[in-house]
Amino acid sequence: MTHLTIDNKKYVLIPEENYQELQKQAALKSKPEKTFSVEEARDYSKKLIRKWASN
């Protein structure tokens, strides 16, 4: 691991394998976005259209 300072900002260089492993770990910790069923999507879009139309 190498430390760099550029314009008073500190950076760390790591090997690509370590970086990819960190990315995998971060991806496992993040929660996936909620997906709607077809009916839920229709209801949600109608609700948004009504909200925008009232403005």
Side-chain angles (χ1 to χ4, degrees):
M1 189 167 20
T2 306
H3 298 272
L4 296 172
T5 303
I6 301 173
D7 294 332
N8 292 328
K9 293 182 182 178
K10 295 181 181 180
Y11 298 93
V12 178
L13 294 177
I14 60 173
E16 186 175 357
E17 297 84 24
N18 293 6
Y19 176 71
Q20 290 175 354
E21 183 62 33
L22 288 172
Q23 278 188 320
K24 286 179 188 177
Q25 289 176 2
L28 291 173
K29 290 181 182 180
S30 67
K31 295 180 182 177
E33 293 183 15
K34 182 180 185 281
T35 55
F36 293 121
S37 68
V38 174
E39 288 299 318
E40 289 173 331
R42 284 187 184 131
D43 292 339
Y44 183 71
S45 62
K46 286 179 184 179
K47 178 182 167 186
L48 286 178
I49 291 169
R50 288 186 187 115
K51 178 182 172 184
W52 295 330
S54 67
N55 288 337

